[in-house]
Amino acid sequence: MTRIGSLWVWATVLLGIALWGSCAPPEHIVVLVTVSNLPMDATSLGVSVQLNGVPAMQNFTVTGNLGSFAVRMDNREDQRGPLQIQVASLAGDGCKIREGSTNLNTAPGGFSFAAEVAQVDVDAAGRHKCPLTVTVNGQGTVTSTQSGIQHTCIGSGASPVVCTQDYLRGATVTLTTTDSPRTYAQDWSGSCSGTASAPCLATVAKPVDVGVSFLPRICSPDGWCWMQPQPHGDHILGATAVGTDIVVAVGNHGTIVQCKSGTPSCLPFPSATTNNLNATWGLDSDTFYAAGDGGVVLRCSLGMRKCQTLTTPDSQQDLTAIWGSDANNVYVAGSTGLLMRCAATSPTCTALNTGTQEWLFGLWGSDANNTYAVGDTGTILRCGAGSNSCTMLSSGTSKDLGKVWGSDANNVYAVGLEGVIVRCSAGSSSCTTLRPSMAAQPTLNDVWGSDANNVYAVGSGGEVHRCAAGVSTCTPLVSSTSMTLYRVFGSGPDAVLAVGSAGTIVRCAAGQTSCITLKSNTTLDLGSIAGSSASNVIALGRAGTTLRCPAGSASCSPLTVGSAARLVGLWGSDPDNMYVAGDAGTIFRCSGTTSRCTQLDSSVSTDLRDIWGADSRNIFAAGKDGVAVRCSNDSNSCVPFNTFNYGNEIKQVWGSDASNVYLVGNTGTIARCQAGTSVSCSLLSNTSGILFSGVWGSDVNNVYVVGSAGKIMRCNGRNSACTSLSSGTSNALNAVWGSSADNVYAVGDQGTIVRCGAKQNTCTVMSSGITESLSAVWGSDPAHVYVGGGSQLVRCAAGSDICTATRLPIQPLSIWGSDLEHVYVFGFAAMRCAASTQSCVAEATGTELRLDRVFGLDANNIYAVGEYGAILRRAP
């Protein structure tokens, strides 16, 4: 007999196996299986065993004598019950020729059982079937579709889920993934490749294995999760290599991501804080540290995918820099002269005596006894492993120093304000000025070198200087840019990269007097760069922008997925059709079922200002230069149509149905459009000097348009006419909303709120009690109407001409609620308000980006969109 894993496959079966002796029960239950109707071309058997409907053991293969084999299980009570054994005859390529099964019951008292499996062809035409095996890691779904028949494999997140389905040899199967609100599919593996957000076509010509991992989304404590970009859109503030394969980056709201060499995207890493993380440093191939606001210091393990929060001396101080010489000498610096040492053996970091209250911004050391910290007013400290006090050096300057780096103990460079460069040595209490500060000189922001003779300092105005050991001055280089350079790093003397504002990346090389500009494929600021190898140099920056810049390449490739355009329009017809519109013609369709946003081809590149739909096939977006497009759920492309509003910006879109769609904007434009096979529009108003900024209606006969100089128009779709109403104000009106035709609110400058009714040509001016500009209005019912603007939230109710204002710590830009207790107010931050308490609390969105619009269908489908392509969904 031959043992395979924990199973025993018997080539010969002895009938006397039931004679186990009389002293004790046998240790095993044995099932003797005979296979009949074997095909001549079978080379092996595939066997699976289920007990009580669940796998009783791992699947196994029988070779050699295929006519019979035995299955052995431990003699335990939990091994008793209905048993099914499935047997497939396999061809040489592993595909099935015939199959069959047998059922028996391993009842108590029995120890030896016999069973026969009679096989039949897997296909009536004699064709073979090959297995497609899908492994799902994490929480998400993979759907396999072939000839209209679907099979799903649902991952639970607890452990990998493996699903197998047989297909006729040569069949083409389409595999798609469905995310969950808190996870997203990363990349295909096995026989599929590329991003798992795109379908994979797998040809099952032999047994096929496909895998996909669903990663946790980066979500805020209140459940706002990043839909776009992926994996996040927060600003990155620091990066470091962790071993030779991975770069870790940290940023706002506790964001941590890891970028592995050779992978097309970066992965979110579980953080232990929501505080901003400003700096990170890698100890070895597994451990890295991160430091940030509120005195937060994290010690993290890649292998364990976990961070530990260390105890620090002062939780009120912000930490700006981190560096270590070894596991027991990790230094963290920050505000008011705070400098601490952390050790691998302790959960607590210890404050050192620095003798200064100046902010410290840079840390670096040549060894445990020569660690340098630099900061404001020319502060330079040298610290040693055996002391709790640091020595203040004479820097030779009073200018703020921002960064420090050295090639060795005798060549330590610090750079800072007004272009100052100083060099320090381990044996000296004073530093040498290589480049004195001058008021006209740009600030130098960073310093790094490939060796002692190629040390680069970079800064504002594209400044690049090269310094060398033993030379008393540094040489200015031609950087080929005038943009500010924030950070510098290289994988070697000929591959030194400096990154900066507006996506600037320049590469400098030893022996060259000028640097060359690389194509970054972004216009967003880049503020961090680090590399684990020459092929894995990662530049990062604003709104989560992440690029990989391999040595020798003339361009960098993006690792983040999504658009960086500002998004301002948001509307949805149902959970699977939420539309977002914004700058540069950007339009997304988001699905609550797949938890995924797809960018559509809008056919225009003009900034879009709003989006609204009448039904699933008539979604309208419009914006600058009178541009408008119609989108449909049936297509990923939108079709432009003529609004006759040439050169004028359309501010808002609303309609009562597809035949009455209103577009309003500059020069008093009110266009009414009708959608059929195509879209035709007519101008109802085109008044010079008037800017219409809002439109809303209760029905086709009561459509309200508001704008500058207190202008309010009521339009009737049946006769295509608009009537001017008396608003009672000359202040600009910025937004309009109503609970019904008789309860319509227009809000605007100087705290203006007016209420209008369907049968009245004069509106009532209400008392808001404030003078700040109001730009948002929404209500759950006539008794609960919310108005926002400036730093105020105003509550109004039908039947009263007096509204109540509450000052908020944010500037409201948009308001929407799922019910009376969950009213969301969004802007540069967010609040959640409740009618029962008449109060608001901070809502943690997980980003400091400006969010211009919040909208939802119900409590499970709420979205917020804003600058840099941010799309957040509140996870149910």
Side-chain angles (χ1 to χ4, degrees):
M1 57 187 177
T2 305
R3 184 172 181 173
I4 302 178
S6 62
L7 307 173
W8 292 80
V9 180
W10 297 58
T12 304
V13 179
L14 301 177
L15 296 179
I17 198 166
L19 303 177
W20 297 98
S22 59
C23 296
E27 293 182 2
H28 300 96
I29 301 168
V30 177
V31 182
L32 311 177
V33 182
T34 302
V35 183
S36 62
N37 201 24
L38 281 165
M40 296 296 294
D41 52 348
T43 60
S44 62
L45 301 177
V47 182
S48 65
V49 181
Q50 288 195 331
L51 181 67
N52 293 310
V54 297
M57 56 184 64
Q58 290 183 346
N59 297 347
F60 63 93
T61 302
V62 176
T63 57
N65 181 9
L66 306 184
S68 61
F69 62 92
V71 174
R72 189 176 80 169
M73 303 183 298
D74 292 338
N75 182 14
R76 303 192 312 265
E77 285 302 314
D78 62 357
Q79 297 286 65
R80 302 286 183 174
L83 190 74
Q84 183 183 64
I85 302 174
Q86 296 177 316
V87 182
S89 296
L90 306 179
D93 60 3
C95 294
K96 294 180 180 180
I97 308 170
R98 292 176 183 168
E99 62 184 356
S101 64
T102 185
N103 295 284
L104 64 150
N105 197 307
T106 55
F111 306 107
S112 178
F113 302 87
E116 180 180 357
V117 175
Q119 294 197 317
V120 296
D121 290 340
V122 296
D123 178 63
R127 295 171 294 182
H128 295 182
K129 285 188 175 182
C130 307
L132 170 63
T133 300
V134 176
T135 301
V136 179
N137 290 284
Q139 187 176 357
T141 302
V142 175
T143 301
S144 307
T145 305
Q146 197 265 334
S147 297
I149 300 174
Q150 292 186 337
H151 300 277
T152 57
C153 189
I154 303 174
S156 64
S159 57
V161 173
V162 180
C163 306
T164 300
Q165 184 66 37
D166 295 331
Y167 294 93
L168 288 174
R169 179 188 280 160
T172 299
V173 181
T174 301
L175 298 168
T176 57
T177 59
T178 300
D179 300 343
S180 78
R182 291 183 178 268
T183 66
Y184 70 97
Q186 189 207 9
D187 300 311
W188 294 109
S189 62
S191 296
C192 290
S193 60
T195 175
S197 62
C200 168
L201 297 181
T203 300
V204 191
K206 60 180 181 179
V208 172
D209 292 305
V210 174
V212 67
S213 293
F214 289 88
L215 305 176
R217 294 183 190 271
I218 296 179
C219 300
S220 75
D222 284 331
W224 291 93
C225 302
W226 284 98
M227 295 280 286
Q228 204 275 146
Q230 287 291 0
H232 72 102
D234 282 314
H235 302 327
I236 292 295
L237 305 175
T240 186
V242 183
T244 59
D245 205 30
I246 289 175
V247 169
V248 166
V250 301
N252 285 347
H253 297 277
T255 297
I256 304 177
V257 295
Q258 62 180 83
C259 306
K260 186 176 181 180
S261 179
T263 59
S265 60
C266 300
L267 311 183
F269 189 89
S271 179
T273 183
T274 57
N275 291 6
N276 292 345
L277 295 174
N278 302 315
T280 182
W281 175 79
L283 171 65
D284 52 40
S285 60
D286 180 71
T287 304
F288 66 93
Y289 287 77
D293 293 351
V296 169
V297 177
L298 306 179
R299 181 164 55 218
C300 308
S301 167
L302 288 177
M304 297 178 65
R305 286 191 60 78
K306 184 178 180 181
C307 292
Q308 174 190 6
T309 302
L310 304 185
T311 302
T312 58
D314 193 340
S315 62
Q316 302 302 312
Q317 304 296 331
D318 293 339
L319 304 175
T320 57
I322 186 167
W323 180 89
S325 61
D326 53 66
N328 292 319
N329 290 280
V330 179
Y331 294 85
V332 185
S335 57
T336 62
L338 179 62
L339 184 61
M340 64 185 89
R341 183 190 294 125
C342 311
T345 56
S346 174
T348 301
C349 299
T350 304
L352 305 182
N353 181 15
T354 63
T356 183
Q357 291 292 306
E358 301 292 348
W359 277 67
L360 302 174
F361 293 103
L363 275 171
W364 183 87
S366 60
D367 52 64
N369 293 317
N370 288 282
T371 299
Y372 292 83
V374 303
D376 285 350
T377 65
T379 301
I380 300 181
L381 302 170
R382 182 165 57 219
C383 310
S387 174
N388 288 330
S389 296
C390 299
T391 302
M392 180 74 71
L393 304 185
S394 174
S395 67
T397 183
S398 61
K399 301 303 177 182
D400 297 345
L401 299 173
K403 289 295 177 181
V404 58
W405 182 89
S407 59
D408 52 62
N410 293 318
N411 289 280
V412 180
Y413 297 82
V415 300
L417 199 64
E418 295 184 1
V420 65
I421 304 175
V422 301
R423 182 168 57 208
C424 308
S425 176
S428 176
S429 61
S430 61
C431 302
T432 302
T433 300
L434 303 184
R435 186 171 187 254
S437 63
M438 294 181 63
Q441 291 180 164
T443 294
L444 295 175
N445 299 313
D446 198 19
V447 58
W448 181 91
S450 59
D451 53 67
N453 293 319
N454 289 282
V455 178
Y456 294 84
V458 302
S460 301
E463 288 283 305
V464 178
H465 296 264
R466 183 191 292 126
C467 308
V471 180
S472 59
T473 59
C474 298
T475 303
L477 305 183
V478 177
S479 69
S480 303
T481 183
S482 60
M483 294 294 180
T484 296
L485 299 174
Y486 295 116
R487 294 291 179 264
V488 59
F489 172 84
S491 57
D494 295 326
V496 178
L497 301 183
V499 300
S501 60
T504 300
I505 303 178
V506 299
R507 182 170 63 211
C508 309
Q512 301 296 316
T513 59
S514 61
C515 306
I516 61 173
T517 301
L518 303 188
K519 184 179 180 181
S520 69
N521 295 297
T522 184
T523 58
L524 298 183
D525 293 350
L526 300 171
S528 298
I529 184 168
S532 59
S533 64
S535 61
N536 196 43
V537 177
I538 309 295
L540 311 102
R542 195 162 185 82
T545 302
T546 307
L547 310 170
R548 177 177 284 125
C549 307
S553 176
S555 64
C556 300
S557 56
L559 300 183
T560 42
V561 179
S563 167
R566 178 188 173 210
L567 303 174
V568 295
L570 177 60
W571 177 88
S573 59
D574 57 74
D576 288 331
N577 290 285
M578 299 292 292
Y579 284 83
V580 182
D583 289 355
T586 303
I587 298 179
F588 285 95
R589 182 195 297 127
C590 300
S591 167
T593 299
T594 65
S595 295
R596 189 172 293 162
C597 295
T598 301
Q599 187 165 355
L600 307 185
D601 178 6
S602 70
S603 303
V604 298
S605 59
T606 306
D607 294 348
L608 300 173
R609 290 292 176 246
D610 197 22
I611 192 165
W612 177 88
D615 52 57
S616 63
R617 295 187 176 182
N618 290 285
I619 297 97
F620 304 89
K624 284 187 174 181
D625 300 328
V627 166
V629 300
R630 178 171 67 170
C631 310
S632 170
N633 295 354
D634 298 333
S635 174
N636 285 337
S637 298
C638 303
V639 179
F641 61 90
N642 191 347
T643 65
F644 298 100
N645 190 31
Y646 305 112
N648 296 314
E649 181 171 342
I650 296 172
K651 294 288 189 178
Q652 196 166 16
V653 183
W654 185 89
S656 60
D657 53 59
S659 297
N660 291 278
V661 180
Y662 290 83
L663 294 78
V664 304
N666 292 351
T667 65
T669 296
I670 303 176
R672 177 173 170 263
C673 304
Q674 295 178 300
T677 304
S678 60
V679 180
S680 60
C681 300
S682 59
L683 289 178
L684 304 186
S685 170
N686 191 16
T687 307
S688 177
I690 297 295
L691 186 157
F692 285 125
S693 55
V695 56
W696 179 90
S698 60
D699 54 69
V700 66
N701 296 320
N702 292 281
V703 179
Y704 291 83
V705 181
V706 302
S708 60
K711 192 72 171 177
I712 301 181
M713 304 284 285
R714 182 167 57 224
C715 302
N716 188 317
R718 296 194 186 280
N719 58 24
S720 298
C722 297
T723 302
S724 181
L725 304 185
S726 174
S727 68
T729 181
S730 60
N731 291 326
L733 298 172
N734 304 315
V736 59
W737 177 91
S739 61
S740 67
D742 293 319
N743 198 48
V744 179
Y745 291 82
V747 304
D749 292 352
Q750 296 295 310
T752 300
I753 303 176
V754 300
R755 184 168 59 210
C756 308
K759 299 177 182 180
Q760 301 170 346
N761 289 331
T762 300
C763 301
T764 302
V765 178
M766 306 183 69
S767 173
S768 68
I770 63 172
T771 58
E772 295 179 71
S773 178
L774 301 173
S775 58
V777 57
W778 176 90
S780 59
D781 55 63
H784 299 89
V785 178
Y786 296 85
V787 180
S791 60
Q792 302 283 351
L793 181 68
V794 184
R795 295 176 177 88
C796 305
S800 174
D801 293 340
I802 300 175
C803 300
T804 304
T806 302
R807 183 168 292 278
L808 299 179
I810 69 169
Q811 178 183 353
L813 299 175
S814 181
I815 304 171
W816 184 88
S818 57
D819 53 58
L820 288 176
E821 299 304 299
H822 297 84
V823 177
Y824 298 93
V825 183
F826 270 68
F828 284 99
M831 308 287 290
R832 184 177 69 249
C833 306
S836 61
T837 61
Q838 293 287 296
S839 63
C840 302
V841 297
E843 177 80 355
T845 62
T847 182
E848 63 180 22
L849 298 181
R850 167 175 164 161
L851 298 172
D852 290 88
R853 189 72 65 90
V854 59
F855 175 80
L857 300 173
D858 51 49
N860 295 326
N861 292 278
I862 308 174
Y863 292 78
V865 303
E867 62 180 342
Y868 300 115
I871 303 178
L872 301 174
R873 180 188 179 197
R874 201 174 199 273

